[in-house]
């Protein structure tokens, strides 16, 4: 079986300019390789600055990688243009308040990826928009709302709808659960689980709550200073961590103040 | 002895849509030397309660309470200036986003030295020379800053959020407060730093016997640290008790929902199965339901719930619900 996503020796370094003549390369992440099957969830964990967001952005094409290749369904994304890539892999950002344009109605926000990336008629687009809204548990009427009229949980639903609307194979989500209240967070997690089950979408989730990571992911990547230090099935890695970094992350999660 | 004792605290706010009870009849008791967790999702009124304790009042706020005591002092009978003096001496507070509470134009050294009250000086007159500076170094050592001299010479923007929070804590303990209020001190920090701050607060409590009111939106992060917990929803207290009572034997449907929404607390859960979730979302202040404010989202709600439920108290475990979960319920589930 061909994995839906295969990443080969992908790396990214940022070049920082100090004055006119000197520049310095900062490695966000060193060459990494991994694969992901259809309908599975991959979690990326690691301390702050370990390169998780940079990896997520490189996968979705928000930043250009310095080297390496990304293949979706065996097709190298470097040979494809931005449009085709958008239809295959989409990203959701952490803060829905800043990632949704406050001056656009939800309907417009959802329509814009369709306008940019497809040749659908106006009518077909409206159907897609209301389908996507319904999928994430909102009403068709919400298309007329502005972002400020929605709660943070509802905004996160809109962000998910926007990612779903192009029917991608893979959705990359960077810390989307971190800012949500607990009672809303469990609704969004259930929604992601449902969407995955119904449409066989693969998810890549950057997250830090290991309890949630264990519950929702099949595979896990542990990053440290730009390197993958551990990669494998989530249950195996978390039950039997081999690397000190993984052990430390687990320990941080389960500090007991009294015994 | 109770260091803090609040009965029926109500805070009304004037908004464009009229006057609303943002906090309704909240009770809070903190025993000397304990850490109490005050848990609630955003907008539940946690910060308003903290402000009411400190006596901070803005225009258009009406704060009422049947009782409000700090140790043996009745806060309700004090004049505003007496109140301010008492608060300055006996209560310290730390906040979320510590760097925004530090002065960006001043060196850390000056800011800490300013926070050290003269009456905390110990020793002979010959030790007066530069004692503030020496004490600042000791304080930074105490909060786990390894390189105090260089930190003292820095400006806030040169330091990480974690270090800034440690500085805030150092300034808070400089006056040896009887009560420390921590309003979401670790929200938006990464987990390694979070743990450092929690460990520091725990040590402070054990070594100095400082009472701490720890405010958090995340029951998971606060439960380990706390001796007792109070849970709020939409400006009402729903449940309070010891850590064991609230975490292991919740009686209120809301507490139960919070706990079940966290995969770590819910141990026998199949991989990728649905998490327990209440329907709907937190209502905005202008559209609060009458009676029990959880009503529209509560799985147990019945007609009587349009009346605000009275408190039931069992061995110090308090809950406000017409139809509390029975103890058998939660042992079987
Ligand atoms: N635009 C940029 N220019 C220069 N360096 C950058 C840039 N973006 C990221 N970096 C650096 O790359 C490294 C990895 O950053 P990244 O944002 O991927 O970390 P992260 O694992 O997502 O951290 P966090 O958990 O804090 O979100 C860091 O050292 C960071 O300082
Ligand atoms: N100065 C204010 N003016 C009007 N409403 C306010 C003010 N401060 C807080 N509120 C409202 O009171 C409610 C409780 O706020 P707060 O105590 O800050 O909640 P929490 O700290 O639990 O997140 C919220 O609905 C908030 O919008
Ligand atoms: S009083 Fe009624 S609505 Fe409120 S928590 Fe209890 S059962 Fe639910
Ligand atoms: Mg990041
Ligand atoms: Mg608050």
């Amino acid at each position: 079986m061909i994995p839906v996503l295969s990443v080969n020796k992908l790396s990214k370094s940022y070049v920082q300019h100090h004055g006119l003549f000197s520049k310095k390369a900062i490695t966000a992440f060193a060459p990494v390789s991994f694969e992901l099957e259809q309908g599975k969830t991959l979690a990326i964990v690691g301390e702050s600055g370990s390169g998780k967001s940079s990896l997520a952005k490189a996968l979705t094409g928000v930043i250009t990688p310095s080297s390496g290749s990304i293949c979706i369904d065996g097709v190298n994304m470097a040979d494809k243009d931005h449009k085709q890539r958008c239809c295959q892999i989409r990203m959701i950002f952490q803060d829905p308040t800043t990632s949704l344009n406050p001056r656009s109605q939800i309907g417009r926000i959802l329509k814009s990826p369709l306008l940019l990336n497809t040749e659908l008629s106006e009518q077909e687009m409206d159907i897609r928009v209301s389908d996507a809204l319904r999928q994430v548990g909102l009403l068709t009427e919400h298309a007329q709302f502005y972002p400020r009229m929605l709660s943070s949980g509802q905004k996160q639903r809109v962000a998910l709808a926007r990612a779903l609307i192009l029917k991608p194979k893979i959705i990359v989500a960077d810390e989307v659960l971190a800012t949500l209240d607990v009672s809303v967070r469990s609704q969004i997690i259930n929604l992601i689980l449902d969407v995955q089950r119904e449409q066989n979408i693969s998810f890549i989730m950057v997250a830090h709550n290991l309890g949630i990571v264990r519950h929702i992911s099949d595979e896990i990547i542990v990053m440290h200073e730009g390197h993958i230090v551990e990669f494998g099935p989530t249950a195996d890695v978390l039950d039997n961590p081999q690397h000190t970094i993984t052990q430390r992350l687990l320990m941080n999660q389960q500090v007991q103040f009294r015994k | 002895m109770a260091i803090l004792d609040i009965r029926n605290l109500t805070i009304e706010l004037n908004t464009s849509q009229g006057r609303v009870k943002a906090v309704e009849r909240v009770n809070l008791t903190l025993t000397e030397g304990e850490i109490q967790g005050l848990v609630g999702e955003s907008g539940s009124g946690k910060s308003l309660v903290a402000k009411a304790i400190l006596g901070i009042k803005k225009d258009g706020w009406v704060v009422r309470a049947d009782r409000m005591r700090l140790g043996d002092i009745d806060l309700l009978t004090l004049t505003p200036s007496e109140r301010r003096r008492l608060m300055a001496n006996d209560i310290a507070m730390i906040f979320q986003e510590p760097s925004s509470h530090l002065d960006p134009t001043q060196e850390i050294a000056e800011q800490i030295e300013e926070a050290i009250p003269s009456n905390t000086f110990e020793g002979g007159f010959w030790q007066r020379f530069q004692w503030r500076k020496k004490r600042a170094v000791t304080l930074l050592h105490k909060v786990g800053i390894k390189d105090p001299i260089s930190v003292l010479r820095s400006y806030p923007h040169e330091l990480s959020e974690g270090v800034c929070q440690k500085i805030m804590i150092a300034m808070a303990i400089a006056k040896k407060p009887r009560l420390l209020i921590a309003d979401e001190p670790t929200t938006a920090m990464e987990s390694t730093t979070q743990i450092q701050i929690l460990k520091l607060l725990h040590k402070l409590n054990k070594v100095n016997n400082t009472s701490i009111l720890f405010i958090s939106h995340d029951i998971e992060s606060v439960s380990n640290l706390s001796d007792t917990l109070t849970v709020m929803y939409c400006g009402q207290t729903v449940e309070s008790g010891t850590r064991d009572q609230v975490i292991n034997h919740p009686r209120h449907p809301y507490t139960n929902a919070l706990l079940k929404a966290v995969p770590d607390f819910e141990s026998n859960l199949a991989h990728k199965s649905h998490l327990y979730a209440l329907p709907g979302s937190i209502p905005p202040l202008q559209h609060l339901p009458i009676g029990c404010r959880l009503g529209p989202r509560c799985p147990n709600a019945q007609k009587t719930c349009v009346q605000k439920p009275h408190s039931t108290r069992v061995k110090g475990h308090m809950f406000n619900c017409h139809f509390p979960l029975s103890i058998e319920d939660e042992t079987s589930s």
Side-chain angles (χ1 to χ4, degrees):
Chain A
M1 190 177 140
I2 309 175
V4 63
L5 175 75
S6 73
V7 173
N8 198 3
K9 301 207 182 73
L10 194 72
S11 77
K12 173 74 192 175
S13 34
Y14 296 100
V15 179
Q16 264 190 349
H17 296 270
H18 296 281
L20 266 181
F21 303 107
S22 68
K23 53 185 180 186
K24 205 174 97 192
I26 298 178
T27 313
F29 58 94
V32 297
S33 307
F34 60 90
E35 291 181 340
L36 178 62
E37 279 175 35
Q38 193 173 22
K40 299 286 184 199
T41 300
L42 169 72
I44 304 177
V45 302
E47 290 169 348
S48 186
S50 56
K52 307 179 297 284
S53 300
S54 303
L55 176 57
K57 284 185 202 153
L59 288 173
T60 43
V62 176
I63 56 174
T64 3
S66 308
S67 73
S69 66
I70 303 163
C71 295
I72 295 178
D73 277 340
V75 181
N76 192 334
M77 282 296 116
D79 305 338
K80 297 282 167 187
D81 61 12
H82 188 69
K83 253 186 199 179
Q84 282 160 311
R85 182 187 201 130
C86 280
C87 298
Q88 306 269 14
I89 186 163
R90 300 283 290 161
M91 180 144 184
I92 317 177
F93 295 94
Q94 166 165 6
D95 193 351
T97 327
T98 52
S99 68
L100 302 178
N101 181 352
R103 274 179 291 278
S104 291
Q105 288 173 325
I106 302 303
R108 279 199 64 81
I109 292 177
L110 294 181
K111 228 183 248 177
S112 70
L114 294 175
L115 283 168
L116 287 172
N117 300 300
T118 68
E119 314 290 324
L120 296 178
S121 71
E122 195 68 22
Q123 207 179 1
E124 285 170 315
M125 280 194 230
D126 285 336
I127 295 175
R128 280 267 194 115
V129 168
S130 48
D131 279 353
L133 283 172
R134 222 167 315 119
Q135 247 174 32
V136 297
L138 293 172
L139 305 169
T140 317
E141 289 84 76
H142 281 115
Q144 267 81 52
F145 283 43
Y146 286 92
R148 68 182 147 76
M149 299 156 80
L150 301 178
S151 70
S152 59
Q154 285 173 322
K155 281 184 208 145
Q156 204 57 275
R157 284 169 195 262
V158 172
L160 184 61
R162 181 171 59 178
L164 285 170
I165 203 153
L166 289 172
K167 303 193 190 296
K169 296 206 166 69
I170 305 163
I171 291 179
V172 180
D174 189 359
E175 301 264 16
V176 290
L177 303 170
T179 53
L180 296 176
D181 276 314
V182 181
S183 77
V184 179
R185 186 178 72 189
S186 46
Q187 291 174 353
I188 300 289
I189 292 176
N190 290 347
L191 183 62
I192 289 176
L193 292 171
D194 286 342
V195 164
Q196 177 165 62
R197 207 169 294 131
E198 284 158 19
Q199 306 183 27
N200 221 8
I201 295 179
S202 305
F203 275 90
I204 297 179
M205 313 220 20
V206 178
H208 67 252
N209 184 320
L210 293 180
I212 292 176
V213 163
R214 179 193 291 270
H215 185 68
I216 63 176
S217 72
D218 303 283
E219 307 266 333
I220 189 170
I221 283 179
V222 184
M223 293 192 70
H224 181 61
E225 294 177 352
H227 293 271
I228 294 184
V229 295
E230 207 158 346
F231 174 42
T234 306
D236 296 357
V237 171
L238 294 186
D239 287 341
N240 194 5
Q242 298 297 314
H243 199 278
T244 43
I245 293 297
T246 320
Q247 288 161 1
R248 191 158 84 203
L249 288 174
L250 274 163
M251 241 162 57
N252 278 346
Q253 196 96 109
Q254 319 167 319
V255 186
Q256 294 293 329
F257 287 97
R258 68 208 81 230
K259 288 241 169 73
Chain B
M1 197 186 98
I3 173 101
L4 188 68
D5 186 7
I6 298 176
R7 283 281 158 275
N8 292 332
L9 171 68
T10 299
I11 303 175
E12 289 178 289
L13 307 177
N14 286 326
T15 69
S16 49
Q17 273 106 329
R19 185 181 273 195
V20 285
K21 278 189 183 148
V23 171
E24 188 180 35
R25 304 222 309 259
V26 162
N27 295 333
L28 204 65
T29 311
L30 198 83
T31 311
E32 185 115 50
E34 82 175 3
I35 304 183
Q36 174 152 159
L38 180 61
V39 187
E41 295 178 288
S42 63
S44 58
K46 310 178 293 291
S47 302
L48 286 176
V49 169
K51 284 179 188 151
I53 296 171
L54 290 172
I56 301 171
K57 241 171 92 174
K58 302 228 169 89
D59 287 343
W61 291 16
V62 184
V63 179
R64 277 179 288 125
D66 291 350
R67 184 162 62 198
M68 211 164 170
R69 300 177 73 90
L70 183 75
D72 44 19
I73 305 162
D74 187 352
L75 297 177
L76 295 172
T77 58
L78 296 183
T79 64
S81 70
E82 285 174 328
R83 178 91 187 255
R84 264 195 302 279
R85 199 166 336 114
L86 179 74
M87 292 303 137
N89 291 331
D90 287 2
I91 303 187
M93 182 144 182
I94 57 174
F95 305 88
Q96 192 180 338
E97 291 171 28
S99 56
S100 61
H101 290 270
L102 288 167
D103 182 348
T105 62
Q106 245 188 351
E107 269 188 11
I108 299 296
E110 293 175 53
Q111 303 193 41
I112 297 192
E113 284 173 34
E114 255 170 46
I116 302 172
S118 324
N119 60 11
T120 56
F121 177 74
E122 286 160 10
F125 67 91
W126 62 91
Q127 289 165 316
R128 279 258 170 202
F129 179 68
Q130 287 211 325
W131 73 275
R132 277 213 162 81
K133 186 164 173 118
K134 285 176 196 144
R135 183 132 161 78
V137 174
T138 328
L139 280 168
L140 287 188
H141 255 301
K142 258 194 199 153
V143 297
I145 290 178
K146 296 210 178 63
D147 188 8
I149 304 292
S150 83
V151 167
L152 280 172
R153 264 193 248 115
S154 316
Y155 288 89
H157 70 263
E158 299 167 339
L159 304 167
S160 72
E161 283 285 287
V163 171
C164 286
Q165 192 60 284
K166 286 179 187 167
I167 291 168
M168 293 294 290
I169 296 176
M171 286 161 61
I173 59 177
K175 59 182 184 183
K176 303 196 169 138
R178 298 172 67 188
L179 173 65
L180 176 67
I181 301 178
D183 191 355
E184 312 223 26
T186 61
T187 307
M189 277 184 201
E190 50 120 2
S191 60
T192 320
T193 324
Q194 239 175 55
I195 297 298
Q196 284 178 3
I197 302 290
L198 294 185
K199 280 187 175 155
L200 177 61
L201 291 175
H202 183 243
K203 193 177 107 194
L204 227 135
N205 168 258
K206 286 287 157 298
V207 176
N208 301 355
N209 204 34
T210 313
S211 315
I212 301 178
L213 182 65
F214 190 104
I215 300 178
S216 171
H217 68 276
D218 182 8
I219 198 165
E220 201 179 359
S221 73
V222 75
S223 65
N224 261 331
L225 186 66
S226 309
D227 303 300
T228 55
L229 286 163
T230 295
V231 184
M232 288 182 69
Y233 179 76
C234 279
Q236 298 178 329
T237 15
V238 299
E239 181 158 8
S240 69
T242 64
R243 184 175 103 96
D244 177 60
Q245 286 169 335
V246 174
I247 299 291
N248 299 327
H249 310 282
R251 303 294 304 276
H252 196 281
Y254 180 67
T255 317
N256 189 44
L258 280 187
L259 292 169
K260 280 180 142 183
V262 179
D264 269 3
F265 283 115
E266 183 66 306
S267 47
N268 45 15
L269 191 68
H271 186 235
K272 287 195 161 190
S273 61
H274 268 194
L275 293 177
Y276 184 81
L278 292 177
S281 56
I282 302 161
L285 207 51
Q286 289 78 15
H287 300 284
L288 292 173
I290 51 163
C292 175
R293 292 180 176 175
L294 189 65
R297 302 180 69 191
C298 179
N300 300 6
Q302 293 180 33
K303 272 205 197 98
T304 19
C305 298
V306 296
Q307 307 287 337
K308 186 177 188 288
H310 288 289
S311 304
T312 314
R313 197 176 278 276
V314 185
K315 293 190 191 125
H317 188 180
M318 192 277 296
F319 38 94
N320 289 326
C321 177
H322 289 294
F323 307 100
L325 307 174
S326 60
I327 300 179
E328 294 79 60
D329 257 12
E330 99 249 349
T331 43
S332 66
S333 73

